[in-house]
Structures are given as C-alpha cells and as structure tokens.
Amino acid sequence: MAQELFALGFRHSIVVPMTDSTASGGPSLPQERRLVTSIPGPRSQALLERRTASVAAGVGITLPVFVERAGGGVIADVDGNSLIDFGSGIAVVGVGNAAEAVVARVQEQVARFTHTCFMVTPYDVYVDVCEALGRLTPGHHEKKSALFNSGAEAVENAVKISRSHTGRQAVVVFDHGYHGRTNLTMALTAKNMPYKHGFGPFAPEVYRVPMSYPFHDGLEGAAAAQRAIDLIDKQVGAANVACVVIEPIQGEGGFIVPAPGFLPALADWCRQTGAVFVADEIQTGFCRTGDWFACDDENVVPDLVTTAKGIAGGLPLAAVTGRAEIMDAPHVGGLGGTYGGNPVACAAALGAIETMQTHDLAARARSIGEVMRSRLTEMADRHDVIGDVRGRGAMMAIELVRPGTREPDAAVTGAVARACHAEGLVVLTCGTYGNVLRFLPPLVMPDHLLDEGLTILDKAFASTS
Ligand SMILES: *Cc1c(COP(=O)(O)O)cnc(C)c1O
C-alpha cells in the first residue's frame, strides 16, 4: 500500500475515521437485489411529481427511482428497493459508488480546502492527477495534462489545443460519434435526436466520415480506414486538418468496436499528415475495457487523450493529456476555467486510481467481459432479435434487429429495457437507431449479481417476445 501511494505521488498520509458502515452506502451496502414495491415505488413517485413541477422537462430520466444509497453492484432507492446496477451512472462509477478510497480522500480534502482556483493559487492534488495521467495513458513520450469539469469541456479543449498547435481549423469526426452537448461538441456529435434537434446553428469546420462498423459494413479495418481517409483527402484536404477525434470504441453511438487495424491506420495517417490524433476515451477509459485505455488493445498511441467519466469515482473531473509539445502550444492563460481540476474532484480521482490499482480492476473488467460475452452469445442463439453481441471488457452490448435482418428494432429494445427495470435491473440503451442495449456494470460488481442481472435480461426477452 505504502508503495502504491508513493507511486501516485502522495505526500500526506491520511487517517480518516470510518463512519458507521451500516449507515453508509459504498461497498458495505448489502449486495443483493430486493424488490419491496413496484418500480417506481410510492416515495419515488411522490418525488417524481415534485421533479416534474420544478425540473426542466428537457432533462430526461431512464428509470425514475430516486436513490438513497449506492455501492458495489447495487443502487438502493427511497422505497427500500435494491436494484442491480448495469449502468454505473453511464460508465462513471467503475470503482463502485462511494468507494472507500474515494470517500476517504474526498473527506480529507474537503475539510482542508474546497476551492482556490488552480489558476489563482495552485495546489498539489491537481499536479498529482496530471502525473498519474502521464503515467497511465498510452505511450512513453513526455506528456502534460490540463484538467476540466466535464467530458464535453475536455473535448472542446482538445480541439482548441490541436488548432493552436497545427494552425489549422478542420476537425474530422465519425458517423455514430458522441462527444458531448456543448455547442462545439454538438457539432462533433453525430445523432440529431435528442442531442442537437433545434439547438443549432452549430460550429463550422467539422467534417464527418464513416466509422468502421463491422456488423453493418463487413469491411476489414484497413479498408474502412481507407474509405474514411479518401473522403478526408477529397473533401477537406489533409493540409487543413487540425485533428481527427475518435472514440476507440463508440459509446452512445452503439458500443461500436471498429475492425482491427482501423484505429492504427488512422493514427498512421495523422502522423504522416501532421493532424493531431485525439482519442476520446471518456467512456472507454480507466479500466472499463480491460486495459487502462481502449487504445492499449492495439497499441495505438494517440497524440491527445480526453478522459472524464470513470476518472474520479463519481465526482466531476475531466482531462486532456498528450504530447508535451502539443499540450504546450496554446499561449499562457489560453486554457483553464474556474473549477477545472477542483481539489475535491482531484482527491477523488487519486482515490479512484488507487482503487483501480490495488484491486486490479482492469483484470476484473476482463473477467466480467468473459462472463457477459458467453452469456449474451448463448442468449443470442435462443433470441433471434439479438443480431450482434459486441464490446470489450465490462463494456458490452447487444444490437437488436428484426429477426433474420439487420434492420434496427428500437421498439423491442425499449420493451426489454423496461422489463429489466421492472425487475430491478438498471440497463441503458444506446445506438443511432436506439436499438442497442448496453451493459456497464461497476467493475466491483460481485459475480452473483452479474449472473442474476444476466438472468433477468434473459427472462426479459422471453417476456417481451
Ligand atoms: C459522455 C461522453 C462525453 C461527454 O462527457 P460529459 O461529461 O457528459 O460532458 C464525451 N465523449 C464521450 C465518448 C462520452 O461518452
């Protein structure tokens, strides 16, 4: 332990009194599914009414249970129900909700100081996080980082940095890509509904090219990359491209895993033409796919990496990490923000990273992935609406189609998700056509709950077909 803390660059030894473990969430919460009311229960329904009256309608909800506590593989609601969590708050709490090391470091930090603004008077935990990012992200070159609040903000800054470094403007993105909801990132995001509809005009100099989507295009990685590169060369011109921004496995777009060779070919093209290769690892990063980062799988070394979601065990933090000479291109004062790299969020990140290291959560993600893949593949043999099983590590999905075709079936996808919710299993949908069920359990999910969740899913197919 002492050695790991040293490796993370800690200078303080922290003693935190443990609270009454039965009263907290976190890992001490009983690891069981338990339904004592229908879903949502009466207390959640009452809160939902207040919510409807006071929260803007545009903020949607997947599953209207109000949370009381959460930890390990479960979410406990205000009615006393305990649900199995296959969503991790959208790939955020990989280390589990209220993870012990996160809680300890946050409590220690929040009692020392809550905010000074790193750009006014700096503090150590920000530097600690940047050092950890430099060590953990792909490649052994000299790296620097800048910290922000949200994934979208990190992506925007990666574009700013790329433009500053290259003196070029064009940004290349992909079909089915998702990069956020701010103005620039709406332009980068592919899907109109619900992310963009009625919210334009969007930022200019954004160009979209086809993704490698093996289930639908059947192309080898190199051929799919060539198809994208030809379009860039013809329609944009290599000399105008500031950066290529890509999710190494697409998240919101449908957990689309590009064919082998696709990412390396794009990275090569960027190296040859001077464009910055930006890997958006906001959903795939921090052990989710069974490696620290999804790019590690094919040894792709991006110039810049954007991270958020899983980085800080649930606190809002995001980063851009990359080649020192690219990161240093913007003028002094050109990057920043009031809250970027907030000390409490940084302390949480150090606790989350420590948890990933001490519990080897990358290995855990791989074993979760093996269980899910074999169970889902076996389900696909019996339920002919399951057209494709894909993903990597603890980031798995199934694409639902009209039997015997590759046409999307969003209706059955929604019905299966609702049947799971009613049985106390939190699952999320995604995909350009809304026909993908995705599974993102916390990496600390106990085996028996993983198994039970998959059984609920299996039964949901039987009950909806
Ligand atoms: C969630 C996500 C974002 C946006 O992150 P926010 O924190 O919601 O702004 C960007 N890129 C990818 C790949 C994501 O999954």
Side-chain angles (χ1 to χ4, degrees), residues 300-320:
V300 170
V301 178
D303 299 311
L304 301 181
V305 181
T306 55
T307 52
K309 293 199 165 95
I311 192 175
L315 273 82
L317 187 71
V320 183

Side-chain angles (χ1 to χ4, degrees), residues 150-153 155 178-181 247 251-252 280 282-283 308-309:
S150 69
E153 204 188 345
V155 173
Y178 180 85
H179 301 288
R181 296 171 178 261
E247 303 157 83
E252 305 303 302
D280 181 350
I282 288 167
Q283 192 152 161
K309 293 199 165 95

Side-chain angles (χ1 to χ4, degrees), residues 326-351:
I326 299 176
M327 290 299 297
D328 280 343
H331 49 278
V332 173
L335 302 176
T338 307
Y339 292 115
N342 168 271
V344 181
C346 285
L350 296 174

